Amino acid sequence: MAEGHSKLEGPDLVQGVAFADLPDGGKFVGHCGNEQVLLVRRGAEVFAIGAACTHYGGPLVDGLVVGDTVRCPWHHACFDLRTGEALHAPAFNPIACWSVELRDERIFVGEKRKRTAPKQRDRGSGQVPENIVIVGGGAAGFAAAEKLRREHYHGSIVMLSNDEAPPVDRPNLSKDYLAGKAPEDWIPLRRESFYSKNDIDLHLNADVVSIDARSGEVVLADGARTPYDRLLLATGAEPVRLTIPGADQPQVHTLRSLADCKAIIERATTARRAVVLGASFIGLEVAAALRLRDIEVHVVAPERRPMERVLGPQMGDFIRALHEQNGVLFRLEDTASSIDGTNVKLSSGNTLTADFVVVGIGVRPRTGLAEKAGLTVDDGVVVNAFLETSAPGIFAAGDIARWPDPHTGENIRVEHWVVAERQGQTAALNILGHREKFVAVPFFWSQHYDIPINYVGHAGQWDEIAVDGDIIAKDCLLRFKRKGRTLAVASISRDIESLETEVEMERQ
Ligand SMILES: Cc1cc2nc3c(=O)[nH]c(=O)nc-3n(C[C@H](O)[C@H](O)[C@H](O)COP(=O)(O)OP(=O)(O)OC[C@H]3O[C@@H](n4cnc5c(N)ncnc54)[C@H](O)[C@@H]3O)c2cc1C
Ligand code: FES
């Protein structure tokens, strides 16, 4: 997405600023030429880096400096202050770095430094695989392929995806893009030239139907076989399908792929009324996007409050009110019993009229391949701390992976964009023979109209929610606790505290 600002903020850093104006640990924004630059001071050292995060342009001045890194306030990407490298997803592109000179008690920013490739790590004595196959062209698969090349891996990378589109920015499909506020060229994670330039052999419409672990090959639907030395399974999740009468009609949609999203957009261009089944994150983000297109939206869901299971009753009430203020009509504690043309019958006996229906009733991990291959599966592909499955040499990452989370002490599986990408990155390192445990604290965000909700940690169950601030004023931090221990934190407009919680949890 676009980086940069139309109006330049702060002082001209080429002319210099007083060293005393930048306290230790402090940061501020100025400019060099026509670019915004962030100055960060750590002790006697000063760093000058691009001011905008390379993910969606988040203002790094509002982020958190941790050691020699800075974390983005919006979705917690992490950059190296010395090299600009994007160390942790969801950003992949480095930020620019400038040379800095300290002279006469002033800081002068000089030339933009040339980007250098990240240093190659020592791989130890393990054998580097010749052929790596990635099944899945989503968040985890993309992040793994990108990381392998960034780590100077020169062998073959084959990426097999049964989608017709190259890896896309999936979270956008229920937000700005669906609302008609983001152009289509924001959607691919990378242009097609990225794959050819990096020698990533991306096959689209390539449906992998089985794994022959004995011969070390994956088998495609057309019978073709692709050999691997190391395999990464990153097949994600698929929407739970509705089974009521009429659910198979063409105006009943689910949302996972770009094609799904385009089909909904096509309906939305002529429709006046929609029914969304499910008050989950995706269901409600879809409701918000459709409201922004001025479509009448009814949300039908069995629960008493939207998102209560994940965010608790207070936030559930807030989210409901937020959507109602934006015109969404809720039918809670109700379900659809049949769909007939434009009529959606509810279990309560009521009938809603809708030009189309979007079903957001949850997802299931796509574990079929793993099960068929005899890997250990338990509501997800079970992996160890290195993201390796029960079959040596076969790794799993993203929505399908159930991993031992060191923060909760439990084996967990989540469906979060940033987790999938970070797991892809860790899996890539381990495929190359590094022994790196996956220890990232889970993070997700969800966006409703102009309100982003950030969530750090994982609280499957809690016995207390401590609310700091005012939820209705959209300035709050909720701590989900079990036996007095904070397992997760949800927040609105508390970016620094959200980042600080992440760091605290990492250190625990
Ligand atoms: C509309 C939408 C909005 C979302 N918004 C957010 C958000 O705001 N924040 C957040 O944290 N998370 C969000 N998520 C969840 C997030 O997108 C997922 O957690 C993430 O995409 C998981 O990454 P993955 O790589 O595991 O799976 P995916 O990204 O789903 O990728 C799986 C890939 O595997 C391919 N595949 C599957 N089976 C096969 C096979 N047999 N052969 C070949 N290829 C196969 C698929 O085609 C796909 O390319 C959203 C999800 C959706 C659908
Ligand atoms: S904008 Fe920085 S992580 Fe998303």
Side-chain angles (χ1 to χ4, degrees):
M1 285 210 186
E3 226 185 294
H5 305 241
S6 45
K7 211 173 123 224
L8 291 171
E9 274 177 50
D12 182 352
L13 301 172
V14 178
Q15 302 301 319
V17 288
F19 186 66
D21 287 350
L22 187 60
D24 191 8
K27 43 188 168 9
F28 74 69
V29 175
H31 60 92
C32 278
N34 59 4
E35 288 185 82
Q36 295 286 182
V37 173
L38 176 71
L39 287 187
V40 179
R41 180 175 157 198
R42 295 204 61 236
E45 260 187 305
V46 176
F47 302 95
I49 58 170
C53 173
T54 58
H55 178 227
Y56 283 1
L60 295 177
V61 67
D62 297 333
L64 187 69
V65 173
V66 183
D68 286 353
T69 68
V70 61
R71 299 188 189 199
C72 177
W74 287 359
H75 316 111
H76 295 200
C78 176
F79 298 92
D80 189 318
L81 287 171
R82 291 181 189 282
T83 63
E85 188 185 354
L87 297 172
H88 301 300
F92 292 98
N93 286 344
I95 35 173
C97 295
W98 279 258
S99 61
V100 176
E101 202 187 334
L102 300 177
R103 201 176 350 115
D104 305 330
E105 297 295 307
R106 287 179 73 76
I107 304 164
F108 294 91
V109 175
E111 297 281 295
K112 195 190 264 190
R113 296 207 321 250
K114 261 199 175 154
R115 276 182 189 170
T116 49
K119 275 202 209 122
Q120 185 162 359
R121 312 168 194 230
D122 182 11
R123 276 196 201 127
S125 53
Q127 206 177 349
V128 176
E130 278 176 28
N131 298 304
I132 297 172
V133 172
I134 298 170
V135 183
F142 169 82
E146 196 271 351
K147 185 74 173 169
L148 287 167
R149 286 297 181 233
R150 226 198 292 174
E151 289 292 319
H152 305 270
Y153 172 67
H154 299 298
S156 151
I157 304 174
V158 176
M159 199 170 169
L160 304 167
S161 171
N162 62 8
D163 199 342
E164 63 190 33
V168 295
D169 184 1
R170 212 175 293 292
N172 219 319
L173 302 183
S174 52
K175 302 180 183 68
D176 288 354
Y177 182 64
L178 182 60
K181 310 252 176 244
E184 182 149 358
D185 62 2
W186 281 12
I187 299 306
L189 289 180
R190 284 290 184 279
R191 288 178 216 282
E192 280 175 29
S193 58
F194 166 85
Y195 301 95
S196 47
K197 232 165 96 188
N198 286 283
D199 201 12
I200 296 167
D201 194 3
L202 171 63
H203 294 249
L204 300 177
N205 297 307
D207 193 25
V208 176
V209 290
S210 63
I211 303 163
D212 186 340
R214 241 180 307 163
S215 66
E217 291 171 313
V218 296
V219 183
L220 286 112
D222 64 5
R225 290 175 160 255
T226 306
Y228 66 81
D229 301 318
R230 298 278 186 286
L231 176 64
L232 174 64
L233 296 178
T235 47
E238 64 196 4
V240 173
R241 304 272 156 187
L242 198 63
T243 52
I244 59 173
D248 53 358
Q249 293 171 85
Q251 81 280 18
V252 181
H253 296 261
T254 53
L255 176 56
R256 185 78 192 179
S257 64
L258 178 58
D260 295 339
C261 188
K262 284 183 170 175
I264 296 172
I265 290 172
E266 204 182 317
R267 293 266 170 210
T269 48
T270 53
R272 286 181 41 236
R273 291 170 167 193
V275 164
V276 174
L277 300 180
S280 62
F281 288 98
I282 289 187
L284 288 185
E285 287 187 353
V286 167
L290 295 179
R291 285 301 301 139
L292 292 170
R293 288 180 174 269
D294 227 9
I295 289 173
E296 183 181 306
V297 180
H298 293 261
V299 173
V300 180
E303 54 265 41
R304 200 149 50 107
R305 288 189 183 92
M307 297 190 196
E308 183 174 5
R309 194 179 56 79
V310 181
L311 295 177
Q314 301 99 320
M315 195 70 112
D317 284 340
F318 165 76
I319 288 167
R320 176 183 178 157
L322 174 67
H323 281 273
E324 283 176 339
Q325 284 154 19
N326 283 280
V328 171
L329 300 157
F330 281 95
R331 297 279 182 157
L332 297 172
E333 298 183 87
D334 208 346
T335 52
S337 54
S338 67
I339 302 169
D340 184 6
T342 54
N343 290 330
V344 181
K345 274 212 173 127
L346 305 184
S347 311
S348 59
N350 292 311
T351 299
L352 297 172
T353 311
D355 300 311
F356 69 102
V357 175
V358 181
V359 181
I361 55 174
V363 295
R364 268 194 207 105
R366 288 192 187 108
T367 53
L369 278 178
E371 269 168 62
K372 222 164 122 184
L375 308 186
T376 306
V377 171
D378 171 17
D379 179 32
V381 180
V382 176
V383 293
N384 62 18
F386 305 102
L387 305 181
E388 196 164 19
T389 68
S390 56
I394 303 182
F395 294 77
D399 284 4
I400 58 164
R402 176 172 290 281
W403 84 98
D405 172 42
H407 310 288
T408 49
E410 293 165 10
N411 283 345
I412 65 170
R413 188 183 71 74
V414 301
E415 290 143 11
H416 305 348
W417 180 253
V418 173
V419 172
E421 290 185 330
R422 291 184 180 179
Q423 287 192 342
Q425 294 178 321
T426 300
L429 290 175
N430 291 325
I431 281 171
L432 295 180
H434 302 288
R435 296 288 285 169
E436 187 158 306
K437 290 186 177 173
F438 183 74
V439 293
V441 176
F443 167 82
F444 78 78
W445 83 98
S446 183
Q447 176 96 20
H448 303 258
Y449 312 95
D450 56 346
I451 309 296
I453 300 170
N454 282 3
Y455 184 98
V456 169
H458 178 80
Q461 285 172 332
W462 60 84
D463 51 35
E464 183 196 344
I465 302 176
V467 181
D468 183 15
D470 185 347
I471 301 179
I472 293 164
K474 298 160 193 154
D475 173 21
C476 60
L477 185 120
L478 279 66
R479 290 189 177 80
F480 297 83
K481 298 182 175 189
R482 198 161 62 211
K483 295 186 183 151
R485 184 168 163 240
T486 300
L487 295 176
V489 159
S491 60
I492 301 173
S493 314
R494 296 283 185 101
D495 291 337
I496 278 288
E497 282 155 279
S498 172
L499 282 165
E500 282 169 353
T501 305
E502 182 179 77
V503 174
E504 236 169 72
M505 286 183 176
E506 281 168 7
R507 287 178 180 155
Q508 269 163 17

